[in-house]
Amino acid sequence: MSIVKHVGDRIRELRTSYKGRKLSQEELARELRIATNTISRWETGTYRPSIEDLEMLARFFDIPISEFFPQEGPPPRDTRLNALLRGAKNLNDDDLSDVQRYLDFVQARTAYERPRRKSQSRK
Amino acid sequence: MNATAYYEMLKARARELRQEREWTQPRIGLREIKQLCLEKGIEKIDLWPPAKCRTAKKRTKVRGIYAPNGGRPCVMVNRHLPKEQRVFTIGHELKHHLFDVDGDAPMLCETKVQNNAIEIGAEIFAAELIYPDADFCRDLGDRGVKPGACTAEDLVRLKHDTGTSLSCAALAKKAYRFNFAAKDAFEKAAWKKIELQIFGEPDYLRFRRRRTPQR
């Protein structure tokens, strides 16, 4: 299964189980202020949501962005978090969770990026 | 290496970078500093939270993050910072990229600077990269400001005339360091207010007020 299809399936799953009820595509689109068609096309894998779109969805569903992707083993969170907690003395829980969100975002983007095409040199 | 030697080494490196880029002015734009970071191997500079995330919390104490990201380094800059502080923060994170990479551990920079050599060094590096100390002392001296006699108005005028990307608060720190002013002399300085008193309302605010319908 392609990653775009997997992501689309996850969006549908999250939408249909949102707070114990089924959120329609129209409702989700209204909440996110985007077109209903876009949600539909994300779910069917017709459109590839950008990594920023996924972050927006992750915030809406209140999940880490990594949950949109196939799990290939746990991310090395412990060391990163320890490093953060060592460095962050004045931060509250909200600030730390925002930091964690960014680190998850960076990791997800690296995994989600399309492989770069090799440039073809002219002969 | 003691702290002073370490800070001097960072400042020398910052000046080298300025020379490499042929930066002669104390005004460094976002585009210029981003370009420098990309050339030095930082892959992405992200404004955080992303523009699309309207529900994101408005204020966070995190100014920036340097994330080595397994050899594909990224920098996060708080979207809610003013443009000048964004430039400074990127300079700060560049120092971490050039000097402090320790495995894959990310580095956090808070609005309140931590009292350790790595973070203080990053502040010094960023300040030197934007406005070298020697230029600052020369420019203040050219204005006839004597050691110990620098006022908040002098710094506001310096900032206005040179167009530097350093904030008045950062200029104040330089003024303390070179004994142009007594320690904490500018602690209660209302920079914006002073600027308004000296130079009047900036054009962009006047235009904005004109365009906003009166009720």
Side-chain angles (χ1 to χ4, degrees):
Chain A
M1 190 195 289
S2 77
I3 194 160
V4 179
K5 188 79 183 72
H6 187 279
V7 167
D9 288 349
R10 278 299 288 148
I11 296 173
R12 181 178 289 122
E13 268 175 47
L14 289 163
R15 178 177 61 77
T16 53
S17 59
Y18 180 67
K19 288 185 179 171
R21 71 188 183 97
K22 196 175 169 180
L23 195 66
S24 70
Q25 289 183 341
E26 288 79 11
E27 285 171 312
L28 179 58
R30 206 175 313 127
E31 290 288 342
L32 300 176
R33 298 190 214 169
I34 52 175
T36 312
N37 280 351
T38 308
I39 305 276
S40 160
R41 286 167 186 165
W42 284 345
E43 289 184 359
T44 54
T46 314
Y47 281 177
R48 182 188 175 97
S50 70
I51 194 76
E52 288 83 9
D53 292 327
L54 293 181
E55 178 61 28
M56 174 176 70
L57 286 161
R59 283 173 189 259
F60 177 77
F61 291 118
D62 198 19
I63 54 163
I65 194 170
S66 54
E67 287 202 17
F68 287 107
F69 302 102
Q71 296 299 318
E72 295 165 351
R77 260 192 182 192
D78 293 348
T79 46
R80 295 191 305 159
L81 261 185
N82 285 343
L84 286 177
L85 293 173
R86 269 203 311 273
K89 289 174 187 154
N90 303 312
L91 302 185
N92 59 27
D93 288 350
D94 279 354
D95 295 328
L96 279 177
S97 77
D98 201 41
V99 169
Q100 187 60 61
R101 270 203 176 279
Y102 177 68
L103 296 175
D104 286 344
F105 173 84
V106 166
Q107 206 176 26
R109 178 170 59 195
T110 309
Y112 190 55
E113 267 175 359
R114 289 192 173 113
R116 286 178 193 157
R117 284 185 196 161
K118 282 182 186 170
S119 59
Q120 292 181 339
S121 57
R122 286 186 187 173
K123 288 183 182 174
Chain B
M1 190 189 290
N2 66 20
T4 311
Y6 175 62
Y7 298 148
E8 285 305 319
M9 180 273 289
L10 293 174
K11 280 159 64 173
R13 183 74 183 110
R15 289 192 297 272
E16 270 173 32
L17 289 175
R18 280 180 65 87
Q19 261 183 349
E20 272 175 32
R21 306 286 303 173
E22 297 178 356
W23 289 347
T24 53
Q25 300 298 316
R27 185 184 186 85
I28 309 297
L30 267 174
R31 193 182 296 172
E32 290 162 301
I33 202 151
K34 279 183 182 174
Q35 189 64 38
L36 171 63
C37 288
L38 297 178
E39 276 177 23
K40 295 295 165 194
I42 294 175
E43 278 207 1
K44 299 255 186 198
I45 297 173
D46 300 303
L47 284 178
W48 191 258
K52 289 180 177 180
C53 299
R54 297 185 188 88
T55 54
K57 193 182 154 213
K58 283 283 176 208
R59 296 278 163 210
T60 161
K61 290 194 202 102
V62 181
R63 225 175 358 134
I65 301 175
Y66 172 72
N69 190 31
R72 302 183 67 181
C74 299
V75 162
M76 174 277 235
V77 182
N78 188 332
R79 176 178 291 279
H80 304 296
L81 292 177
K83 205 179 268 183
E84 284 173 352
Q85 285 184 38
R86 286 185 195 172
V87 172
F88 191 88
T89 302
I90 295 172
H92 177 118
E93 303 305 334
L94 177 63
K95 183 266 180 183
H96 291 320
H97 174 67
L98 296 176
F99 296 96
D100 306 325
V101 177
D102 173 21
D104 209 26
M107 311 206 67
L108 276 186
C109 304
E110 301 170 40
T111 42
K112 188 178 173 188
V113 179
Q114 289 172 39
N115 196 16
N116 65 52
I118 289 179
E119 291 302 317
I120 294 171
E123 297 284 289
I124 290 174
F125 175 85
E128 187 77 4
L129 187 65
I130 296 169
Y131 196 1
D133 288 346
D135 295 1
F136 169 79
C137 293
R138 184 201 59 213
D139 290 345
L140 259 190
D142 287 352
R143 265 150 241 275
V145 178
K146 299 272 182 286
C150 181
T151 62
E153 286 77 13
D154 290 330
L155 293 183
V156 170
R157 282 184 196 281
L158 178 73
K159 179 169 169 53
H160 187 268
D161 297 348
T162 58
T164 180
S165 317
L166 273 193
S167 64
C168 286
L171 292 177
K173 282 185 191 168
K174 278 187 190 274
Y176 296 146
R177 202 169 333 127
F178 294 103
N179 296 321
F180 277 105
K183 200 170 185 309
D184 300 334
F186 306 123
E187 204 177 355
K188 289 182 181 166
W191 301 110
K192 285 280 167 211
K193 207 171 160 184
I194 298 169
E195 196 180 350
L196 209 65
Q197 280 166 1
I198 300 175
F199 301 107
E201 196 175 27
D203 287 346
Y204 79 93
L205 276 182
R206 227 182 7 251
F207 289 133
R208 192 187 290 168
R209 196 154 41 79
R210 254 188 235 161
R211 289 175 62 177
T212 313
Q214 301 280 326
R215 289 188 181 178

